[in-house]
Amino acid sequence: MSNERAIGIFDSGVGGLTVVRAFMERLPREELIYLGDTARVPYGSKSAKTVARYSKRATRFLLSQGVKMVVVACNTASAYALDELRASLEVPVLGAVEPGARAAVEATRSGRVGVIGTLGTVRSGAYPRALAAAAASLSKRVSVVARACPLLVPLAEEGWLDDEIAEAVARRYLTALRDEAPELDVLVLGCTHYPLLRPLLERVTRDLFHHEVALVDSAEAMAQAARAELDGRGLERDGGGAARLRCCVTDDARIDEIAGRFLGRPLDGVERVDL
Amino acid sequence: MSNERAIGIFDSGVGGLTVVRAFMERLPREELIYLGDTARVPYGSKSAKTVARYSKRATRFLLSQGVKMVVVACNTASAYALDELRASLEVPVLGAVEPGARAAVEATRSGRVGVIGTLGTVRSGAYPRALAAAAASLSKRVSVVARACPLLVPLAEEGWLDDEIAEAVARRYLTALRDEAPELDVLVLGCTHYPLLRPLLERVTRDLFHHEVALVDSAEAMAQAARAELDGRGLERDGGGAARLRCCVTDDARIDEIAGRFLGRPLDGVERVDL
């Protein structure tokens, strides 16, 4: 397999561009193909069966583009479809849940970890499972408290990232977490939209808890895990020249408006594809 | 065509159950089949082409169930797909936009009408077009100001209908409308989710404008228009016995949790269907 091939990253919408951003920073030589399934976004409120069906179509598209690795940036798709995708694909498949779970277990001292995400991610129980597995492999004890935060995605998409409404919403969700687990010292941002709200979430967390709470960004954790995986398999790209990003979406209605905010830079161009 | 056949109502998600509720009140003898395309919800942030494709699949399902009328409860689907559906179907097709637009033109005295809805509905320009057509037919002059309110749907789904967060969000959106059109005296609730927020929207509107603003609920307007249409065609059901509601969804993840809130009563049962 050629190391020059691209890494395929998919998410249900534009949120996964925060993952692309982390990959561009940590794996600057790799070619990236991003697929945002914006015609079916969001996955977070849909059932396991529906999400698995959509995820299979999305990975089929990435494979047809000849990628050397598939990154399932969507937490919900990782929660519902990762095992099935891994069993059926011949390239390495990296999910959104395991890397963040491992980073959380490494960071916690109290053993009490919080997770925020979409309804689908929380309902799936994927984080508690992945945290338990990571804890076992690191000989630690961890207990988890998870909470769905449906308003955070539209706040991020509106660009209301740090005002009184965003703060009141964050405060309501995080107060519920604190009341349930006051000794929590790690909070996993289990949705690709949430890194945009990170400064706000940090401030509110600091305010509500009387000790330090480490925020684990699953985008960062994924980029680190991908680097380790490519390294372990000798699959790193060593070609010269700047790496490119190809950005594909299944619906282009809002992409120009909000993609740049998620990617942290303007987008060069977007292809619309049918799955 | 048999008058005993059901009326088919479809929406992108559960929001259209507010339309079902209005139909049950105003057309209590009619059988209803509801289809919520919850596997693809929301339509509001998607492009015209995608929404038209989904709408065609949804109406095809309703026709296969033998309905005598199709009601497109989704404002976005009405905005993007109604003409195409009307041209291709042999049963009457009622949209969400025209009835509300007509009610708004009838109600306005200042001639300044506001519309709130999803991004898709606002972008489509369907309300300004329908309001202009209704104004022409009633020999009135109307000018329109429209605003997308993406946070109102998740607020309604969370059940945060009238608290300080919902109020701050409503106040922000409606203040922008008031600053643009202080003489506005009619506000169209152009999304099936919004009737749940009606008490809040009424209070905030009263607070922000220094005169009465009439809220037009497009669910109510649709039920009235359907009654007139059935009456005009002699299609009213005159069968005895209580009318039934059949509720179908394409994904059943959240339906039990929130459907009752939209319908105003518990749901008897839900069928999952593939389109």
Side-chain angles (χ1 to χ4, degrees), chain A residues 85-96:
Chain A
L85 294 174
R86 272 200 182 132
S88 64
L89 303 185
E90 286 177 15
V91 300
V93 180
L94 189 77

Side-chain angles (χ1 to χ4, degrees), chain A residues 80-115:
Chain A
Y80 284 147
L82 198 66
D83 292 342
E84 209 175 325
L85 294 174
R86 272 200 182 132
S88 64
L89 303 185
E90 286 177 15
V91 300
V93 180
L94 189 77
V97 175
E98 287 163 15
R102 192 170 175 95
V105 172
E106 285 169 355
T108 187
R109 294 174 309 277
S110 70
R112 195 79 163 127
V113 172
V115 177

Side-chain angles (χ1 to χ4, degrees), chain A residues 38-42 45-47 49-50 53-54 119 123 150-151 154-155 158 160 163-165 168-169 172-173 251 253-254 257 272 274, chain B residues 38-42 45-47 49-50 53-54 119 123 150-151 154-155 158 160 163-165 168-169 172-173 251 253-254 257 272 274:
Chain A
T38 45
R40 293 171 193 82
V41 71
S45 52
K46 283 153 199 165
S47 68
K49 206 172 145 185
T50 301
R53 192 168 73 238
Y54 294 167
L119 205 70
R123 279 214 178 138
L151 262 85
L155 280 174
E158 274 284 52
W160 297 0
D163 59 20
E164 73 282 7
I165 289 174
V169 171
R172 183 173 296 179
Y173 286 134
D251 185 287
R254 298 190 73 186
E257 183 192 336
R272 210 186 71 73
D274 277 320
Chain B
T38 45
R40 293 171 194 82
V41 71
S45 53
K46 283 154 199 164
S47 68
K49 207 172 144 187
T50 301
R53 192 168 73 238
Y54 294 167
L119 204 70
R123 279 212 180 140
L151 263 85
L155 280 174
E158 276 283 51
W160 298 358
D163 59 21
E164 72 283 6
I165 289 174
V169 171
R172 183 174 296 179
Y173 286 135
D251 184 288
R254 298 190 72 186
E257 183 192 335
R272 210 185 71 73
D274 276 320

Side-chain angles (χ1 to χ4, degrees), chain B residues 138-150:
Chain B
L138 293 166
S139 302
K140 277 181 121 171
R141 291 181 83 89
V142 164
S143 76
V144 190
V145 54
R147 184 164 181 92
C149 303

Side-chain angles (χ1 to χ4, degrees), chain A residues 124-195:
Chain A
S124 71
Y127 271 101
R129 276 196 303 279
L131 286 159
S137 80
L138 294 166
S139 302
K140 278 181 120 171
R141 292 181 82 90
V142 164
S143 77
V144 190
V145 55
R147 185 166 179 91
C149 303
L151 262 85
L152 297 188
V153 166
L155 280 174
E157 295 195 348
E158 274 284 52
W160 297 0
L161 304 181
D162 204 350
D163 59 20
E164 73 282 7
I165 289 174
E167 174 152 351
V169 171
R171 195 169 283 276
R172 183 173 296 179
Y173 286 134
L174 294 177
T175 299
L177 265 188
R178 187 212 44 199
D179 292 349
E180 200 177 339
E183 70 285 19
L184 179 157
D185 69 350
V186 173
L187 179 64
V188 180
L189 310 186
C191 172
T192 52
H193 277 70
Y194 296 176

